[in-house]
Amino acid sequence: MKFPVRDYDLASTLACGQAFRWQQQQASWTGVIGNRWVRLRSTQNCILAETGEPAEHWDWLTDYLQIEMDLEVVLASFPDDEPMRSAVCACRGLRLLRQEPWECLASFILSSTKQIVQIRQIIALLCERYGESLAVPAGEAAAHGFPSPARLAALNEAELRSCKMGFRAPYLLATAQAIAQNQFDLERLRGMPVAEARIELISLPGVGRKIADCVLLFAYGFQAAFPVDVWVMKALCELYFPRRRPTLPRLQHFTETYFGDNAGYAQQYLFHYMRTRRPVKSNE
DNA sequence: AACCAGGACACAA
DNA sequence: TTGTGTCATGGT
């Protein structure tokens, strides 16, 4: 299947640390969306997609990739300052995906104080061991879906720890159980105001402000959510507060007012910019 | 070989 | 409210 797009940087989008299951081989990317194996390839003006099994429709993919999203409008809404111009220039065409809430939530519970390569490894192990086997084209490596809340809730802490997730295991287990036992409904958050949905997410074990904002932004599409991790913190301090060191609430207020309605998008551009730019030496 | 990584949490002052 | 120690693992 072929989808016309413009200004879509597939590589940056799939590798920028919002999703953790995409693998690059030559010019294409393979991954799993829901319970489908997918291979994506990008040409000048379109994205080519093939699936493990014939697909009857493609809404799940266009929604995930946010093909319809008008990036021009989003970029135009960014503050017109030097840091944002540099960040956009570094990865123009980067999009925010629209991921499935449970996988996104679980993934970011596993993300705390881990490098992206390690997060990918933990999630790969978890899926390989406990995820459903998926149909893949002949000759392709086996693929697995992301294990359901019920599947993980039935495990014990030691089994989770053996996936190398360390102290995050009890958090993931408790959150999986809350969802599997219907004490928490991820779907209910869709219609809520952001602030309210955030409070709900933070009530889950292992979920604080940062992880909640990641899920709000990457799964539910609340584009005002602005996750502040160590990289974004560094970006904000270096680029916007080079002299005085801002207090945390002051910084939070800044992110909520300065970057506009698409603050979350701006945040992802800053994040990617900080992680990929040439390392800055202290004497420059 | 230290230092650090898409943090959250309990507890101190 | 703001600051500190702790948690587990492995990349750089």
Side-chain angles (χ1 to χ4, degrees):
Chain A
M1 191 60 188
K2 187 173 186 175
F3 304 94
V5 292
R6 63 189 172 81
D7 216 7
Y8 201 118
D9 184 344
L10 188 64
S12 292
T13 298
L14 299 181
C16 72
Q18 54 178 327
F20 302 100
R21 303 197 61 199
W22 291 98
Q23 290 186 305
Q24 183 172 25
Q25 48 241 98
Q26 296 96 304
S28 69
W29 295 81
T30 61
V32 172
I33 301 175
N35 276 328
R36 306 172 197 265
W37 177 95
V38 192
R39 191 207 314 277
L40 301 175
R41 190 157 54 85
S42 165
T43 67
Q44 290 82 351
N45 293 315
C46 61
I47 290 173
L48 305 175
E50 59 181 299
T51 52
E53 290 178 307
E56 61 286 4
H57 66 89
W58 294 87
D59 296 352
W60 55 275
L61 182 60
T62 56
D63 183 55
Y64 179 89
L65 291 174
Q66 291 286 288
I67 299 270
E68 317 288 340
M69 160 67 63
D70 190 342
L71 188 61
E72 298 281 347
V73 173
V74 171
L75 296 184
S77 75
F78 288 174
D80 186 21
D81 61 26
E82 178 50 35
M84 282 313 303
R85 280 193 293 274
S86 304
V88 169
C89 186
C91 49
R92 194 190 177 80
L94 171 67
R95 310 292 179 117
L96 291 183
L97 300 169
R98 188 65 59 88
Q99 302 180 56
E100 194 281 315
W102 163 241
E103 174 170 347
C104 186
L105 171 62
S107 295
F108 278 96
I109 286 176
L110 298 176
S111 77
S112 70
T113 50
K114 276 293 183 192
Q115 299 182 155
I116 290 176
V117 277
Q118 294 179 263
I119 302 168
R120 294 170 56 85
Q121 188 199 356
I122 294 168
I123 293 173
L125 264 176
L126 192 64
C127 292
E128 194 176 306
R129 291 189 186 172
Y130 303 113
E132 203 178 307
S133 282
L134 305 180
V136 301
E140 296 292 337
H144 303 269
F146 194 90
S148 67
R151 182 72 181 99
L152 294 188
L155 301 175
N156 59 44
E157 188 179 319
E159 290 172 304
L160 288 177
R161 281 183 183 265
S162 73
C163 294
K164 304 180 186 292
M165 63 182 73
F167 62 83
R168 302 156 195 83
Y171 294 148
L172 181 60
L173 183 57
T175 290
Q177 288 170 345
I179 293 168
Q181 296 164 7
N182 290 323
Q183 294 159 6
F184 193 97
D185 182 7
L186 284 170
E187 286 308 311
R188 202 169 64 84
L189 303 186
R190 290 193 189 279
M192 288 185 181
V194 211
E196 204 174 314
R198 178 183 292 122
I199 290 172
E200 290 294 317
L201 285 170
I202 290 178
S203 76
L204 290 166
V207 182
R209 172 71 190 244
K210 189 270 171 180
I211 290 175
D213 279 345
C214 284
V215 178
L216 292 172
L217 183 62
F218 301 141
Y220 292 97
F222 288 107
Q223 297 199 10
F226 194 106
V228 178
D229 75 321
V230 293
W231 289 97
V232 174
M233 177 67 83
K234 195 187 313 179
L236 293 174
C237 290
E238 278 184 22
L239 303 174
Y240 291 99
F241 300 91
R243 290 290 144 203
R244 59 194 191 288
R245 193 164 59 88
T247 65
L248 198 62
R250 181 113 183 73
L251 202 67
Q252 202 65 257
H253 180 260
F254 176 71
T255 65
E256 285 167 6
T257 54
Y258 183 72
F259 292 99
D261 293 337
N262 299 303
Y265 250 95
Q267 172 276 154
Q268 197 59 22
Y269 274 85
L270 286 173
F271 177 74
H272 192 271
Y273 173 54
M274 291 301 284
R275 289 192 1 103
T276 57
R277 72 175 181 176
R278 178 181 59 91
V280 180
K281 298 197 176 90
S282 56
N283 60 354
E284 292 186 75

